[in-house]
């Protein structure tokens, strides 16, 4: 006999569904996943983008990203789910592999890897747990074991690029 999934498990499933919809380029699924409530306006911050407010603007941004991304895959790590009543907070690291347009011979375009830390906020609604807010921030510095993280090499990041160069926007 199996027990009913906990709220934490349901939220984690909803979080995974968000990334799977992106990978498939499924706008219909994306629309089902985002909160549609007259009292709570959705908010989204993609890395390098301004704050997007409102369901229409947020969903349009995902449509644009999915239409211009030939290939994308997310490997989520460090996933942490916290539930408080009808609100849930998920933090995770998005290990992203994405590719550009196919080459003339049909081969997959160049692949690029990227790390983004994300915070996803969910609200419980009549249709289950829905995304209320997404905030993604690129990881610009390496781990604590990397050299020159403090800018001792002269690249202090004053120009906004940091030692790794400018951040690349991602979903």
């Amino acid at each position: 006999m199996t027990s009913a999934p906990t709220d934490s498990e349901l939220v984690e499933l909803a979080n995974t569904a968000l990334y799977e919809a992106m990978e498939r380029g499924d706008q219909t699924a994306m629309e089902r996943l985002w909160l549609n409530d007259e009292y709570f306006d959705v908010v989204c911050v993609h890395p390098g983008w301004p704050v997007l407010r409102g369901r229409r603007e947020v969903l349009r941004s995902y449509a644009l990203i999915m239409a211009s991304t030939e290939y994308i895959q997310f490997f989520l790590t460090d996933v942490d789910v916290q539930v408080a009543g009808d609100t849930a907070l998920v933090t995770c690291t998005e290990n992203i592999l994405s590719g550009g347009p196919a080459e003339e011979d049909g081969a997959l375009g160049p692949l690029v890897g990227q790390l983004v830390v994300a915070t996803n906020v969910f609200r419980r609604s009549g249709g289950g747990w829905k995304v209320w807010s997404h905030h993604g921030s690129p990881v610009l510095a390496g781990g604590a074991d990397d050299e020159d993280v403090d800018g001792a090499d002269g690249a202090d990041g004053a120009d906004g690029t940091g030692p790794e160069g400018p951040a690349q926007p991602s979903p």
Side-chain angles (χ1 to χ4, degrees):
M1 186 164 90
T2 60
S3 60
T6 66
D7 282 338
S8 291
E9 291 169 333
L10 292 171
V11 169
E12 189 164 357
L13 288 170
N15 191 66
T16 300
L18 175 68
Y19 293 97
E20 289 174 348
M22 279 287 298
E23 290 177 347
R24 291 189 317 269
D26 189 341
Q27 186 67 20
T28 302
M30 191 64 68
E31 290 173 10
R32 283 193 310 267
L33 292 165
W34 279 84
L35 188 65
N36 190 8
D37 187 299
E38 65 183 289
Y39 301 108
F40 298 100
D41 211 5
V42 299
V43 178
C44 182
V45 179
H46 298 295
W49 290 41
V51 176
L52 303 173
R53 296 184 189 282
R55 183 175 159 81
R56 182 177 173 172
E57 188 173 355
V58 168
L59 291 173
R60 181 176 181 275
S61 75
Y62 278 97
L64 291 170
I65 291 168
M66 291 186 289
S68 64
T69 304
E70 187 79 17
Y71 172 83
I72 192 162
Q73 189 170 9
F74 296 88
F75 301 94
L76 301 181
T77 57
D78 308 316
V79 178
D80 182 65
V81 178
Q82 299 180 46
V83 178
D86 289 336
T87 304
L89 177 72
V90 178
T91 56
C92 61
T93 300
E94 302 171 354
N95 300 269
I96 304 168
L97 184 62
S98 62
E103 303 291 332
E104 287 184 26
D105 64 359
L108 185 63
L111 294 176
V112 177
Q114 179 174 351
L115 287 178
V116 172
V117 290
T119 301
N120 297 318
V121 180
F122 291 82
R123 286 285 298 168
R124 186 191 328 253
S125 72
W129 289 96
K130 303 296 181 179
V131 184
W132 183 8
S133 177
H134 167 80
H135 187 129
S137 181
V139 176
L140 299 178
D145 295 335
D146 290 351
E147 293 182 26
D148 297 322
V149 171
D150 63 354
D153 64 351
D156 64 2
D159 62 355
T161 63
E164 318 301 323
Q168 298 297 315
S170 74

mmCIF file of all heavy atoms in Angstrom, residues 4 14-15 20 22 43 46-48 54 61 65 76 78 85 95 99 121 139 143 145 148-149 153 156 161 171:
data_model
loop_
_atom_site.group_PDB
_atom_site.id
_atom_site.type_symbol
_atom_site.label_atom_id
_atom_site.label_comp_id
_atom_site.label_asym_id
_atom_site.label_seq_id
_atom_site.Cartn_x
_atom_site.Cartn_y
_atom_site.Cartn_z
ATOM 1 N N ALA A 4 -0.266 8.646 0.049
ATOM 2 C CA ALA A 4 -0.409 9.803 -0.828
ATOM 3 C C ALA A 4 0.864 10.643 -0.766
ATOM 4 O O ALA A 4 1.512 10.721 0.277
ATOM 5 C CB ALA A 4 -1.616 10.632 -0.384
ATOM 6 N N ALA A 14 6.091 19.391 -9.419
ATOM 7 C CA ALA A 14 5.720 20.586 -10.179
ATOM 8 C C ALA A 14 6.970 21.320 -10.649
ATOM 9 O O ALA A 14 7.026 21.824 -11.780
ATOM 10 C CB ALA A 14 4.836 21.504 -9.336
ATOM 11 N N ASN A 15 7.979 21.387 -9.801
ATOM 12 C CA ASN A 15 9.238 22.037 -10.160
ATOM 13 C C ASN A 15 9.904 21.298 -11.330
ATOM 14 O O ASN A 15 10.344 21.914 -12.306
ATOM 15 C CB ASN A 15 10.165 22.077 -8.947
ATOM 16 C CG ASN A 15 11.372 22.949 -9.159
ATOM 17 O OD1 ASN A 15 11.259 24.160 -9.305
ATOM 18 N ND2 ASN A 15 12.546 22.330 -9.184
ATOM 19 N N GLU A 20 10.980 20.286 -17.457
ATOM 20 C CA GLU A 20 10.671 19.355 -18.544
ATOM 21 C C GLU A 20 9.897 20.048 -19.659
ATOM 22 O O GLU A 20 10.115 19.776 -20.840
ATOM 23 C CB GLU A 20 9.896 18.151 -18.010
ATOM 24 C CG GLU A 20 10.754 17.228 -17.169
ATOM 25 C CD GLU A 20 9.978 16.104 -16.507
ATOM 26 O OE1 GLU A 20 8.716 16.134 -16.496
ATOM 27 O OE2 GLU A 20 10.637 15.185 -15.980
ATOM 28 N N MET A 22 10.215 23.167 -20.490
ATOM 29 C CA MET A 22 11.237 23.941 -21.217
ATOM 30 C C MET A 22 12.014 23.050 -22.174
ATOM 31 O O MET A 22 12.245 23.414 -23.323
ATOM 32 C CB MET A 22 12.212 24.597 -20.236
ATOM 33 C CG MET A 22 11.726 25.870 -19.619
ATOM 34 S SD MET A 22 11.728 27.235 -20.791
ATOM 35 C CE MET A 22 13.461 27.338 -21.182
ATOM 36 N N VAL A 43 5.753 36.577 -11.372
ATOM 37 C CA VAL A 43 6.971 37.362 -11.579
ATOM 38 C C VAL A 43 8.072 36.412 -12.034
ATOM 39 O O VAL A 43 8.155 35.278 -11.555
ATOM 40 C CB VAL A 43 7.406 38.074 -10.277
ATOM 41 C CG1 VAL A 43 8.691 38.848 -10.475
ATOM 42 C CG2 VAL A 43 6.302 38.978 -9.762
ATOM 43 N N HIS A 46 14.763 36.044 -15.537
ATOM 44 C CA HIS A 46 15.725 35.182 -16.223
ATOM 45 C C HIS A 46 17.100 35.829 -16.055
ATOM 46 O O HIS A 46 17.203 37.065 -15.978
ATOM 47 C CB HIS A 46 15.404 35.087 -17.719
ATOM 48 C CG HIS A 46 14.074 34.492 -18.032
ATOM 49 N ND1 HIS A 46 13.749 33.188 -17.744
ATOM 50 C CD2 HIS A 46 12.977 35.029 -18.632
ATOM 51 C CE1 HIS A 46 12.520 32.946 -18.165
ATOM 52 N NE2 HIS A 46 12.025 34.041 -18.695
ATOM 53 N N PRO A 47 18.169 35.051 -16.020
ATOM 54 C CA PRO A 47 19.519 35.635 -15.872
ATOM 55 C C PRO A 47 19.793 36.685 -16.948
ATOM 56 O O PRO A 47 19.607 36.438 -18.137
ATOM 57 C CB PRO A 47 20.455 34.434 -16.048
ATOM 58 C CG PRO A 47 19.628 33.258 -15.640
ATOM 59 C CD PRO A 47 18.223 33.586 -16.091
ATOM 60 N N GLY A 48 20.170 37.874 -16.495
ATOM 61 C CA GLY A 48 20.490 38.963 -17.414
ATOM 62 C C GLY A 48 19.296 39.741 -17.936
ATOM 63 O O GLY A 48 19.460 40.663 -18.717
ATOM 64 N N GLY A 54 3.550 39.806 -14.544
ATOM 65 C CA GLY A 54 2.292 39.481 -15.213
ATOM 66 C C GLY A 54 2.399 38.192 -16.010
ATOM 67 O O GLY A 54 3.412 37.912 -16.653
ATOM 68 N N SER A 61 7.880 35.423 -22.510
ATOM 69 C CA SER A 61 9.326 35.267 -22.414
ATOM 70 C C SER A 61 9.732 33.804 -22.608
ATOM 71 O O SER A 61 10.717 33.512 -23.293
ATOM 72 C CB SER A 61 9.851 35.785 -21.066
ATOM 73 O OG SER A 61 9.550 34.901 -20.000
ATOM 74 N N ILE A 65 12.118 32.234 -25.557
ATOM 75 C CA ILE A 65 13.293 31.413 -25.236
ATOM 76 C C ILE A 65 13.188 30.057 -25.924
ATOM 77 O O ILE A 65 14.144 29.589 -26.566
ATOM 78 C CB ILE A 65 13.451 31.245 -23.714
ATOM 79 C CG1 ILE A 65 13.837 32.582 -23.076
ATOM 80 C CG2 ILE A 65 14.504 30.175 -23.401
ATOM 81 C CD1 ILE A 65 13.728 32.587 -21.560
ATOM 82 N N LEU A 76 19.116 19.187 -12.571
ATOM 83 C CA LEU A 76 18.908 19.930 -11.329
ATOM 84 C C LEU A 76 19.673 19.261 -10.193
ATOM 85 O O LEU A 76 19.585 18.048 -9.999
ATOM 86 C CB LEU A 76 17.420 19.991 -10.984
ATOM 87 C CG LEU A 76 16.509 20.637 -12.020
ATOM 88 C CD1 LEU A 76 15.075 20.651 -11.520
ATOM 89 C CD2 LEU A 76 16.985 22.032 -12.398
ATOM 90 N N ASP A 78 21.196 20.108 -5.921
ATOM 91 C CA ASP A 78 21.013 20.916 -4.709
ATOM 92 C C ASP A 78 19.556 21.358 -4.533
ATOM 93 O O ASP A 78 19.295 22.467 -4.071
ATOM 94 C CB ASP A 78 21.936 22.145 -4.714
ATOM 95 C CG ASP A 78 23.379 21.799 -4.974
ATOM 96 O OD1 ASP A 78 23.862 20.818 -4.375
ATOM 97 O OD2 ASP A 78 24.027 22.482 -5.788
ATOM 98 N N GLY A 85 2.179 26.166 4.509
ATOM 99 C CA GLY A 85 0.786 26.383 4.142
ATOM 100 C C GLY A 85 0.577 26.211 2.647
ATOM 101 O O GLY A 85 0.877 25.166 2.088
ATOM 102 N N ASN A 95 21.965 23.007 -13.847
ATOM 103 C CA ASN A 95 23.129 22.681 -14.660
ATOM 104 C C ASN A 95 22.587 22.561 -16.077
ATOM 105 O O ASN A 95 21.901 21.586 -16.406
ATOM 106 C CB ASN A 95 23.755 21.367 -14.189
ATOM 107 C CG ASN A 95 24.193 21.447 -12.737
ATOM 108 O OD1 ASN A 95 25.311 21.795 -12.445
ATOM 109 N ND2 ASN A 95 23.269 21.145 -11.817
ATOM 110 N N GLY A 99 22.178 24.165 -26.888
ATOM 111 C CA GLY A 99 22.825 24.162 -28.188
ATOM 112 C C GLY A 99 22.180 25.143 -29.131
ATOM 113 O O GLY A 99 20.979 25.405 -29.055
ATOM 114 N N VAL A 121 9.057 29.891 -6.567
ATOM 115 C CA VAL A 121 8.025 29.978 -5.534
ATOM 116 C C VAL A 121 6.730 29.440 -6.133
ATOM 117 O O VAL A 121 6.356 29.810 -7.251
ATOM 118 C CB VAL A 121 7.835 31.433 -5.046
ATOM 119 C CG1 VAL A 121 6.760 31.499 -3.964
ATOM 120 C CG2 VAL A 121 9.152 32.005 -4.543
ATOM 121 N N VAL A 139 25.808 31.664 -12.126
ATOM 122 C CA VAL A 139 26.927 31.459 -11.219
ATOM 123 C C VAL A 139 28.165 31.976 -11.944
ATOM 124 O O VAL A 139 28.565 31.422 -12.961
ATOM 125 C CB VAL A 139 27.077 29.963 -10.848
ATOM 126 C CG1 VAL A 139 28.300 29.751 -9.979
ATOM 127 C CG2 VAL A 139 25.822 29.466 -10.165
ATOM 128 N N GLY A 143 34.044 27.422 -7.413
ATOM 129 C CA GLY A 143 33.946 27.009 -6.022
ATOM 130 C C GLY A 143 35.025 27.628 -5.167
ATOM 131 O O GLY A 143 35.925 28.319 -5.637
ATOM 132 N N ASP A 145 37.553 26.355 -3.895
ATOM 133 C CA ASP A 145 38.891 25.862 -4.181
ATOM 134 C C ASP A 145 39.534 26.556 -5.378
ATOM 135 O O ASP A 145 40.727 26.397 -5.621
ATOM 136 C CB ASP A 145 38.856 24.348 -4.449
ATOM 137 C CG ASP A 145 38.447 23.565 -3.212
ATOM 138 O OD1 ASP A 145 38.645 24.088 -2.090
ATOM 139 O OD2 ASP A 145 37.941 22.443 -3.368
ATOM 140 N N ASP A 148 42.002 32.875 -7.408
ATOM 141 C CA ASP A 148 41.647 34.208 -7.867
ATOM 142 C C ASP A 148 40.162 34.517 -7.781
ATOM 143 O O ASP A 148 39.678 35.387 -8.476
ATOM 144 C CB ASP A 148 42.133 34.445 -9.302
ATOM 145 C CG ASP A 148 43.637 34.377 -9.402
ATOM 146 O OD1 ASP A 148 44.347 34.844 -8.487
ATOM 147 O OD2 ASP A 148 44.116 33.819 -10.397
ATOM 148 N N VAL A 149 39.414 33.818 -6.946
ATOM 149 C CA VAL A 149 37.997 34.115 -6.786
ATOM 150 C C VAL A 149 37.809 35.514 -6.223
ATOM 151 O O VAL A 149 36.872 36.215 -6.553
ATOM 152 C CB VAL A 149 37.303 33.059 -5.893
ATOM 153 C CG1 VAL A 149 35.896 33.480 -5.539
ATOM 154 C CG2 VAL A 149 37.316 31.711 -6.584
ATOM 155 N N ASP A 153 43.785 38.579 -9.238
ATOM 156 C CA ASP A 153 44.477 38.625 -10.513
ATOM 157 C C ASP A 153 44.241 39.937 -11.252
ATOM 158 O O ASP A 153 44.633 40.093 -12.386
ATOM 159 C CB ASP A 153 44.056 37.448 -11.396
ATOM 160 C CG ASP A 153 42.585 37.481 -11.772
ATOM 161 O OD1 ASP A 153 41.852 38.331 -11.214
ATOM 162 O OD2 ASP A 153 42.172 36.669 -12.608
ATOM 163 N N ASP A 156 38.635 42.517 -11.033
ATOM 164 C CA ASP A 156 37.797 42.721 -9.852
ATOM 165 C C ASP A 156 36.317 42.735 -10.168
ATOM 166 O O ASP A 156 35.493 42.857 -9.276
ATOM 167 C CB ASP A 156 38.189 43.999 -9.119
ATOM 168 C CG ASP A 156 37.967 45.253 -9.943
ATOM 169 O OD1 ASP A 156 37.472 45.139 -11.097
ATOM 170 O OD2 ASP A 156 38.298 46.342 -9.446
ATOM 171 N N THR A 161 31.699 42.149 -15.424
ATOM 172 C CA THR A 161 31.933 40.880 -16.078
ATOM 173 C C THR A 161 32.509 39.837 -15.154
ATOM 174 O O THR A 161 32.312 38.664 -15.347
ATOM 175 C CB THR A 161 32.896 41.030 -17.267
ATOM 176 O OG1 THR A 161 34.154 41.481 -16.790
ATOM 177 C CG2 THR A 161 32.333 41.990 -18.299
ATOM 178 N N PRO A 171 17.264 30.407 -19.708
ATOM 179 C CA PRO A 171 15.906 30.323 -19.163
ATOM 180 C C PRO A 171 15.882 30.214 -17.667
ATOM 181 O O PRO A 171 16.775 29.786 -17.042
ATOM 182 C CB PRO A 171 15.348 29.068 -19.780
ATOM 183 C CG PRO A 171 16.356 28.565 -20.723
ATOM 184 C CD PRO A 171 17.592 29.357 -20.577
#
